């Protein structure tokens, strides 16, 4: 039996030359903007690491060289990039487009103290959000003229009292 002849590769759709140039220019501009943002973020990380090292210097009476601060900054930035990719993959694996606190907990699972801290803060935020929702609910119900369950109970008791008289 003879093998079937190979199929020709599908032809790429040709765009007008003006569109190709526009797409290339937009991609280059996006790349330049991305690079600028990355540089700003790296500078912010470097500044923060420098501040933290100064605090340690004052507390522990040690010195950090500029090279060591730069190395710590670079390692921190690279680790954050890895964390961001991992978080994105966790969310994508769960077929979500949003990173949740559960993803962050999964990322922190190897560090018991960090996982405990993140869990505690997550619970604090959740309870704070619930309190705010309840406050909004009460405000909206009183603004609409609705009565809270306690007020409704008091009104029913007053009506029963007046009916008995």
């Amino acid at each position: 039996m003879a093998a079937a002849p190979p199929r020709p590769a599908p032809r790429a759709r040709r765009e007008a030359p003006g569109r190709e140039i526009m797409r290339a220019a937009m991609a280059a501009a996006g790349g330049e903007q991305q690079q600028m943002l990355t540089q700003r973020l790296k500078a912010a990380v470097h500044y923060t690491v420098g501040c933290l090292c100064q605090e340690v210097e004052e507390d522990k009476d040690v010195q950090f060289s500029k090279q060591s601060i730069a190395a710590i900054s670079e390692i921190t930035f690279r680790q954050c990039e890895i964390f961001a990719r991992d978080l994105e993959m966790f969310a994508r694996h769960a077929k979500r487009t949003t990173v949740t606190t559960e993803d962050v907990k999964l990322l922190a699972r190897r560090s018991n103290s960090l996982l405990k801290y993140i869990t505690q803060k997550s619970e604090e935020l959740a309870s704070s959000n619930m309190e705010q929702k309840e406050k909004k609910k009460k405000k909206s119900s009183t603004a609409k003229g609705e009565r809270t369950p306690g007020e409704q109970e008091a009104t029913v008791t007053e009506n029963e009292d007046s009916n008995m008289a």
Side-chain angles (χ1 to χ4, degrees):
M1 184 187 244
R7 290 184 178 176
R11 282 201 279 176
R13 198 177 86 191
R14 290 280 299 167
E15 291 186 351
R19 284 193 179 171
E20 287 178 6
I21 293 170
M22 286 296 290
R23 283 189 194 272
M26 287 173 32
E32 288 173 13
Q33 185 177 13
Q34 184 73 25
Q35 194 173 16
M36 276 181 33
L37 290 173
T38 301
Q39 291 300 337
R40 287 182 61 192
L41 189 54
K42 280 186 175 183
V45 169
H46 185 78
Y47 174 78
T48 304
V49 167
C51 291
L52 291 170
C53 287
Q54 276 183 334
E55 287 180 22
V56 171
E57 285 176 348
E58 292 169 3
D59 289 346
K60 305 292 182 184
D61 195 32
V62 294
Q63 296 290 314
F64 289 91
S65 68
K66 290 182 179 182
Q67 292 85 0
S68 64
I69 293 173
I72 294 168
S73 299
E74 186 63 28
I75 290 168
T76 302
F77 188 81
R78 286 185 185 180
Q79 191 63 48
C80 286
E81 286 180 321
I82 292 167
F83 287 165
R85 276 192 300 252
D86 286 349
L87 289 170
E88 185 180 0
M89 289 297 120
F90 294 158
R92 189 178 296 166
H93 179 73
K95 296 178 178 40
R96 288 184 275 106
T97 57
T98 304
V99 173
T100 65
T101 54
E102 295 305 312
D103 298 325
V104 177
K105 289 177 189 176
L106 183 62
L107 182 72
R109 71 190 180 280
R110 291 190 181 117
S111 171
N112 289 332
S113 59
L114 181 59
L115 180 59
K116 184 178 176 181
Y117 180 80
I118 290 171
T119 302
Q120 177 187 356
K121 289 296 179 183
S122 173
E123 290 169 357
E124 286 175 14
L125 284 171
S127 65
S128 173
N129 287 342
M130 290 299 289
E131 289 172 8
Q132 288 178 352
K133 284 182 181 179
E134 287 177 13
K135 286 180 183 177
K136 283 184 181 179
K137 201 174 189 180
K138 285 181 182 178
K139 282 184 182 179
S140 66
S141 65
T142 55
K144 291 179 183 176
E146 297 174 4
R147 295 182 177 147
T148 62
E151 291 173 340
Q152 288 175 350
E153 211 173 279
T155 305
V156 169
T157 308
E158 287 174 13
N159 287 342
E160 289 173 355
D161 290 341
S162 63
N163 288 340
M164 291 192 153

